[in-house]
Amino acid sequence: MKVITSAADCDNVAIAATIGMFDGVHLGHISLINSLKREAAKRGLKTAVVTFRDHPQNVLHGGNVKWICTLNDRIASIAHTGVDYLILMDFNPQLAALDSTAFMVMLKRNFGLKALVVGFNHRFGHNRSETFFDYQANGKKIGVEVVKAEEYNGVYAPVSSSIIRHLIVGGDVEAAMHRLDHPYSISGTVVHGLKNGRKIGFPTANVGEFSDQLILPPNGAYAALARVNGGKLLKAMANIGTRPTILSNAPISVEVNIFDFDSDIYNQQFTVYFAKRLRPETQYASLNALKEQLLKDREATKDYLNTLNINILQS
């Protein structure tokens, strides 16, 4: 997949494209991209996904919409779908002022747009009262065929980035995982912590330097998976919280206990995948009481991870 950031990057070929934020690249997005690939093949066109660096709500309204994935992960996931091009644009007030017809004209002039595959209920352009039939009629006038994608109606429908964000914020990372088709994750660097976990037989990797633009699930214990420096997936459990049994008024940390693992991974790149929330964070009377709970959490995690299908485990 070639990433295009300006008209100068184009290969001067005709394309079929679809438009969206594609945050999380979830099952609904995959369904849309599959529709794009089918429609492009019928017409002998190359495929392109048009997306934006920044979220429109953050640019236009000073919002603070948190992301499901980083831009780099979004690009990598879109590349994995097999499309030919990713057109990466800066969302700004000038772009936001374009109506749907002007936006299609711009895509045709700059990037060779011949067909536009529109998500089942997607709206684009300044005038949000326009319907698919308006897009289709206006596209015909300027030489762009507008096609409606098939609606995703799989077992986990409806699926949207907004729904998935809501699930993660609410702690239902398991439901989010099924709609993403992979566990929600954050990546950072392993940093030094207090090492109290080691004293009770649960050494943890403390994840630092992860993006503050990503959603963080609520405090609590999680069945998880982990990956060090892009290596194989490892079974683990994670805790998000302030460690109230040990500290008071501490900042939120993300700590991961990897099962059957005893390597020095400080300063290494680290990804933790949240599969299921086990319980909210709790303050225990002593470290021994905390250890007893962690033993229960570990067994619950192992039992749960053994039920996950192989596709999710290999994601």
Side-chain angles (χ1 to χ4, degrees), residues 33-315:
I33 290 173
N34 286 339
S35 290
L36 168 68
K37 291 162 72 174
R38 287 192 296 270
E39 298 298 336
K42 291 177 186 176
R43 296 161 178 78
L45 302 172
K46 294 291 188 179
T47 53
V49 167
V50 179
T51 193
F52 309 97
R53 286 188 178 87
D54 305 310
H55 199 284
Q57 292 296 321
N58 294 344
V59 174
L60 297 179
H61 307 296
N64 188 31
V65 176
K66 297 288 187 178
W67 293 91
I68 299 169
C69 64
T70 65
L71 176 60
N72 285 341
D73 285 343
R74 190 162 31 124
I75 292 171
S77 294
I78 293 171
H80 190 67
T81 67
V83 298
D84 298 304
Y85 300 103
L86 175 71
I87 299 173
L88 183 61
M89 306 182 76
D90 290 312
F91 194 89
N92 54 42
Q94 293 74 31
L95 193 67
L98 299 179
D99 62 23
S100 62
T101 303
F103 192 72
M104 287 189 284
V105 168
M106 180 271 294
L107 291 178
K108 181 180 180 182
R109 180 182 65 244
N110 292 346
F111 304 106
L113 180 70
K114 292 292 185 183
L116 181 65
V117 179
V118 179
F120 183 78
N121 59 358
H122 183 66
R123 296 286 184 271
F124 70 98
H126 180 71
N127 184 358
R128 291 307 176 100
S129 67
E130 289 183 318
T131 67
F132 168 77
F133 299 104
D134 295 318
Y135 301 153
Q136 198 171 48
N138 293 332
K140 188 174 182 179
K141 294 176 184 177
I142 62 172
V144 173
E145 184 179 4
V146 181
V147 181
K148 181 180 286 188
E150 296 176 5
E151 181 181 13
Y152 172 74
N153 56 7
V155 66
Y156 295 110
V159 175
S160 71
S161 297
S162 295
I163 289 172
I164 292 170
R165 289 189 198 102
H166 180 75
L167 290 169
I168 295 169
V169 168
D172 196 351
V173 293
E174 182 179 29
M177 172 177 66
H178 290 305
R179 286 158 178 78
L180 288 166
D181 204 32
H182 57 81
Y184 178 69
S185 66
I186 61 170
S187 296
T189 303
V190 179
V191 297
H192 288 275
L194 298 176
K195 300 181 175 62
N196 282 304
R198 188 173 298 276
K199 296 175 184 176
I200 57 173
F202 288 89
T204 59
N206 292 267
V207 187
E209 300 178 357
F210 54 85
S211 173
D212 62 2
Q213 296 303 306
L214 294 179
I215 301 167
L216 193 64
N219 292 4
Y222 292 82
L225 298 158
R227 200 189 300 271
V228 181
N229 283 336
K232 67 178 183 178
L233 277 175
L234 304 167
K235 294 182 179 181
M237 61 183 184
N239 186 80
I240 300 174
T242 60
R243 298 165 287 182
T245 304
I246 299 169
L247 297 171
S248 60
N249 300 318
I252 290 176
S253 66
V254 179
E255 299 181 272
V256 184
N257 172 244
I258 305 173
F259 301 154
D260 305 314
F261 185 84
D262 189 24
S263 296
D264 183 349
I265 55 174
Y266 288 117
N267 302 315
Q268 303 298 303
Q269 290 299 305
F270 191 89
T271 301
V272 54
Y273 303 83
F274 300 96
K276 181 181 176 69
R277 193 179 191 215
L278 301 172
R279 57 176 176 82
E281 185 175 50
T282 304
Q283 182 173 0
Y284 294 94
S286 66
L287 283 178
N288 281 337
L290 173 60
K291 179 178 180 178
E292 289 179 10
Q293 181 59 56
L294 292 176
L295 288 169
K296 294 175 183 177
D297 292 343
R298 182 165 62 189
E299 291 309 307
T301 295
K302 288 181 176 180
D303 289 343
Y304 175 74
L305 293 179
N306 286 337
T307 70
L308 287 185
N309 69 58
I310 192 66
N311 289 333
I312 287 176
L313 286 174
Q314 290 182 340
S315 65

